[in-house]
Amino acid sequence: MSGKKKAQKLSRRGFLFGGFRKKEDREQPQSAAKPIAAKELNLDTLAEANVAYENGRYEEAAAKYCEFIKTEPQNADARKRYGHCLYKIEKYIQAKVEFERAIRILGKDNFSYLYLGLVLCRAGAGKKAVPVWKLYFDPENITLQREINLQIALIEADPEASIDDAADMVEKIIEETSATA
């Protein structure tokens, strides 16, 4: 056998329009993708964390995800869910760190941008939430996109704007759109 690779046939059409193909396994912006273990070391821990997360037991899920992340620190989906759990139990500084790590691993992630902005609002750093929310772009969820743009405009226009109100309004739209989805 020779060490040569077999040449792949590429069509001009495939080359030109390849960038416009739909992403497979597109993540829904309102929910973090279910983490999948790369190693078989902590499958039980991950399964327990996922069950607790899906049932709204965020404190229990956070502890399990933290344990799981120790064995797989590059698992971005687990980090996103861990960050979301921390946000729900109002541990905003730790949640901020986890969302930033997820963004560092994934590069661009709407879920992380959305909740990192919310974390910054809840932590009292609403002005820092604006550039993060500007990175959020979801043409499939127009209602949420519109609300985020509105809150960005309100925060930029009025230095006395209530950051908590902005976070409340965005959370309200998240709940409404996830209930209809």
Side-chain angles (χ1 to χ4, degrees), residues 108-168:
K108 196 172 190 182
D109 181 59
N110 276 341
F111 183 85
S112 297
Y113 291 147
L114 175 64
Y115 278 96
L116 180 57
L118 284 170
V119 163
L120 291 168
C121 284
R122 295 294 183 199
K127 298 287 184 196
K128 291 182 181 179
V130 170
V132 172
W133 274 346
K134 284 184 177 180
L135 295 171
Y136 179 87
F137 179 69
D138 186 10
E140 293 179 18
N141 191 345
I142 294 170
T143 308
L144 181 58
Q145 184 70 55
R146 219 180 273 151
E147 186 63 37
I148 288 173
N149 291 341
L150 175 66
Q151 296 307 324
I152 289 171
L154 289 172
I155 292 169
E156 286 180 332
D158 183 11
E160 300 297 318
S162 173
I163 305 302
D164 284 330
D165 288 346
D168 290 341

Side-chain angles (χ1 to χ4, degrees), residues 1 26 42 59 64 83 111 160 176:
M1 290 201 155
R26 181 174 284 180
N42 262 350
E59 200 155 329
K64 295 290 182 181
F111 183 85
E160 300 297 318
E176 288 174 3

Side-chain angles (χ1 to χ4, degrees), residues 57-135:
R57 298 189 317 263
Y58 296 113
E59 200 155 329
E60 178 186 340
K64 295 290 182 181
Y65 282 127
C66 182
E67 185 180 331
F68 175 75
I69 287 172
K70 288 177 184 173
T71 59
E72 281 193 44
Q74 293 300 311
N75 192 317
D77 293 328
R79 285 198 179 279
K80 288 190 300 187
R81 281 200 171 187
Y82 180 43
H84 188 243
C85 291
L86 292 170
Y87 174 77
K88 288 291 195 179
I89 59 175
E90 299 179 4
K91 293 185 176 182
Y92 301 126
I93 295 171
Q94 296 97 319
K96 176 184 176 285
V97 170
E98 290 307 319
F99 287 125
E100 288 172 341
R101 286 179 180 163
I103 291 169
R104 203 172 312 124
I105 293 168
L106 295 171
K108 196 172 190 182
D109 181 59
N110 276 341
F111 183 85
S112 297
Y113 291 147
L114 175 64
Y115 278 96
L116 180 57
L118 284 170
V119 163
L120 291 168
C121 284
R122 295 294 183 199
K127 298 287 184 196
K128 291 182 181 179
V130 170
V132 172
W133 274 346
K134 284 184 177 180
L135 295 171

